[in-house]
Amino acid sequence: MKKRDVCGAIVLLVYLMGVGLVTGPSLYQLLAGNLPEPRFELIPFADIAAVLNDPDSPGLGVAANIAGNAALLAPLGFLLPLFWRYFGRAKRTILFGFGVSLSIELIQLIAGGVTSVDDLLLNTAGAAVGFALAKLLLRACPRLAPKRQGGAQWAYPLACWVAVILLATVSDMLTLGLIW
């Protein structure tokens, strides 16, 4: 394991912990047992249209809903190609972003909340924009590009995301008194 891998894993872990805090149920909701009723929205662009057409729609408003979902995974798309050469291809980075977004939506479905295909689309688009920005930076400063690395580079980001999910699950179970 190289220093760059360790540094990348630490930065990614801190970022993904923030993603987990933003997208998971709040501590208050867990303690009060006040989890929202799960809602499953499979019609593409239905939530976006509802937010744009109805100023009183539930949620945080137009800017926070649309821009927030797009911006959520942009740092992921930016960081992956900066630290790991494996993610130097758009397809790999965007698919990883899609996988992270899909897991977030599935967790929200189980934990209570809105699971929307629009969130999945916007999150994935954000990862693609982050990737494009990273490629622009790497083109302008080629010395920042990761050098030849060993195999299984995809394992570092995957291990970070799995660790965040496991830590969040254990902390939620401790909070609810389900363990100990």
Side-chain angles (χ1 to χ4, degrees):
M1 184 180 281
K2 296 181 180 182
K3 288 181 185 178
R4 187 179 192 113
D5 293 332
V6 172
C7 183
I10 291 169
V11 169
L12 194 62
L13 188 60
V14 170
Y15 158 70
L16 289 173
M17 288 172 73
V19 168
L21 285 172
V22 170
T23 60
S26 72
L27 185 60
Y28 169 76
Q29 288 174 320
L30 289 172
L31 291 174
N34 189 19
L35 292 171
E37 197 62 35
R39 188 167 61 90
F40 198 47
E41 183 60 65
L42 287 176
I43 301 169
F45 308 109
D47 284 344
I48 293 172
V51 169
L52 290 173
N53 293 329
D54 183 9
D56 297 326
S57 68
L60 302 173
V62 176
N65 192 342
I66 295 173
N69 272 309
L72 181 69
L73 294 186
L76 179 69
F78 185 78
L79 291 171
L80 290 176
L82 285 181
F83 285 105
W84 296 284
R85 188 178 178 132
Y86 176 84
F87 290 102
R89 295 182 181 216
K91 179 181 175 181
R92 292 175 177 169
T93 301
I94 293 168
L95 279 174
F96 192 86
F98 175 82
V100 169
S101 181
L102 181 62
S103 64
I104 290 169
E105 295 304 315
L106 292 174
I107 290 167
Q108 287 177 340
L109 179 65
I110 294 167
V114 177
T115 297
S116 170
V117 72
D118 290 353
D119 292 352
L120 187 65
L121 293 171
L122 290 168
N123 292 163
T124 304
V129 168
F131 175 82
L133 293 174
K135 291 306 264 188
L136 287 174
L137 176 65
L138 292 172
R139 185 168 291 163
C141 305
R143 295 182 68 189
L144 293 175
K147 307 296 181 238
R148 292 209 172 264
Q149 295 173 310
Q153 296 171 39
W154 53 267
Y156 295 108
L158 182 61
C160 289
W161 184 234
V162 169
V164 167
I165 292 171
L166 291 174
L167 286 171
T169 302
V170 169
S171 69
D172 290 349
M173 292 175 76
L174 284 169
T175 303
L176 293 171
L178 298 175
I179 53 176
W180 270 286

